[in-house]
Amino acid sequence: MPRQKRVKSESGYYHIILRGNEKRNIFHNDEDKQYFIDILESKKEGYCYSIHAFCLMDNHLHLLMNEGEEDIAKIMKRITVSYVYYFNKKYKRVGHLFQDRFRSETVEEDRYILSLTRYIHQNPVKAGLVKRPEDYKWSSYNAYIYNNNCFSNVVDTDTVLGIFSKNVKTAKTLFHKYMREENADEFIDIEEKEEVLDEEEAKALYEKMLLNWGLDSKESASADLPEAFIREFKTKTNLSIRKIAAITGMNKDKINKTLRG
């Protein structure tokens, strides 16, 4: 099956995920994680990209970054090639380290930048590794809170903090509060949830449901669908919020709020 063409971000911002081949660890210890961070820092100086959030887990990692002079594919190739060379040499191994190419999704609006930053920082909490985001060493969370954090040179905190407030002290307070809020944010992850229907079948079901509900397909794209309709569609397809939004044309936040209500 041919690879799907990667969606180009209009803003230049992307959520990137890399995972180990066959779900194996890509980091065996802190030294490996630090080496990867060093690569992020050294490569961004030459290719003008920015890292706004990151979290390194043992078998996968998340990045929120925006591309600079080179596109995201070339940037990630430079990063991964450098790390794989280090990893294979250190552990005397050959072959692929990462599963396929990196996965990505575009981030086009401020509210998604904020929710994605929270999602990334809450990964260790949801995995049961720590109780609070600030307790996990290998994420960018503390670079936002402390000026002299060891990752301060790697992470551009101005963009995210600037969304909260122009006053740095106020922004950090609001950031800390927002990062710890409970949420049901959905983004790409190491494993997609099992879906009852594939996307083409789901589109056909959507059109059939519109007909059954007496809704016009042309008007539905610009109007909010009934809450009961969204819940029924979710139950029958088990699609992610991201895919439901793509099929229905509704805003992801509104779908998320409906399903949580």
Side-chain angles (χ1 to χ4, degrees):
M1 181 179 295
R3 290 179 174 178
Q4 291 185 344
K5 185 177 180 180
R6 195 176 301 281
V7 178
K8 181 71 173 177
S9 170
E10 295 181 5
S11 67
Y13 284 78
Y14 293 88
H15 174 205
I16 303 294
I17 183 171
L18 279 169
R19 55 182 171 181
N21 194 28
E22 298 178 342
K23 300 181 181 180
R24 295 178 180 177
N25 286 355
I26 55 178
F27 305 111
H28 288 320
N29 49 46
D30 285 358
E31 182 181 49
D32 294 343
K33 292 186 176 76
Q34 184 59 59
Y35 195 89
F36 188 87
I37 297 299
D38 291 343
I39 290 174
L40 290 181
E41 182 176 5
S42 63
K43 297 297 182 184
K44 76 184 184 71
E45 292 177 359
Y47 300 101
C48 302
Y49 61 83
S50 297
I51 303 292
H52 301 280
F54 70 81
C55 182
L56 310 187
M57 307 291 276
D58 287 344
N59 69 348
H60 72 284
L61 64 91
H62 292 270
L63 301 172
L64 168 56
M65 61 192 301
N66 69 288
E67 59 192 3
E69 296 176 356
E70 288 191 327
D71 66 38
I72 198 68
K74 291 181 179 179
I75 292 170
M76 291 308 300
K77 183 177 181 179
R78 294 179 187 279
I79 292 170
T80 55
V81 166
S82 294
Y83 184 73
V84 171
Y85 177 81
Y86 153 83
F87 190 91
N88 284 354
K89 183 178 180 181
K90 178 180 178 180
Y91 295 107
K92 297 179 173 58
R93 65 182 298 278
V94 294
H96 298 291
L97 174 61
F98 298 110
Q99 182 174 327
D100 301 323
R101 58 179 183 168
F102 70 94
R103 299 176 65 194
S104 68
E105 62 182 337
T106 62
V107 184
E108 305 291 2
E109 300 178 27
D110 286 352
R111 64 177 181 273
Y112 292 136
I113 290 176
L114 294 183
S115 59
L116 176 56
T117 301
R118 178 172 61 190
Y119 176 82
I120 290 173
H121 288 152
Q122 287 191 357
N123 251 242
V125 178
K126 293 180 178 179
L129 300 179
V130 294
K131 292 184 177 181
R132 306 175 304 172
E134 58 263 42
D135 295 332
Y136 190 68
K137 179 179 179 181
W138 297 104
S139 85
S140 53
Y141 182 89
N142 287 315
Y144 277 90
I145 304 300
Y146 305 108
N147 294 331
N148 60 347
N149 179 262
C150 59
F151 299 139
S152 294
N153 291 332
V154 182
V155 184
D156 172 12
T157 62
D158 292 344
T159 298
V160 172
L161 291 178
I163 297 173
F164 286 106
S165 174
K166 292 182 179 180
N167 181 281
V168 176
K169 185 177 180 180
T170 300
K172 288 185 177 183
T173 299
L174 295 173
F175 171 88
H176 178 73
K177 180 181 179 181
Y178 182 83
M179 290 299 115
R180 299 181 69 174
E181 289 179 354
E182 292 187 8
N183 62 87
D185 297 333
E186 282 197 13
F187 296 93
I188 55 171
D189 211 325
I190 54 173
E191 292 182 355
E192 293 286 354
K193 297 177 181 177
E194 183 180 353
E195 296 170 352
V196 176
L197 299 178
D198 65 29
E199 196 163 351
E200 289 303 314
E201 291 174 323
K203 288 179 180 178
L205 174 63
Y206 174 65
E207 293 297 330
K208 183 178 180 180
M209 284 181 59
L210 286 175
L211 183 64
N212 292 340
W213 279 68
L215 299 172
D216 186 279
S217 59
K218 293 182 179 179
E219 293 179 358
S220 65
S222 59
D224 291 343
L225 293 164
E227 292 185 2
F229 182 100
I230 294 298
R231 292 195 182 96
E232 181 182 342
F233 188 64
K234 171 66 174 177
T235 300
K236 289 182 175 179
T237 64
N238 201 30
L239 290 173
S240 67
I241 291 174
R242 179 165 52 90
K243 287 189 176 180
I244 291 175
I247 291 173
T248 64
M250 281 185 65
N251 181 279
K252 287 196 296 185
D253 286 346
K254 290 181 180 179
I255 295 172
N256 189 21
K257 184 177 180 180
T258 296
L259 295 175
R260 289 176 64 187

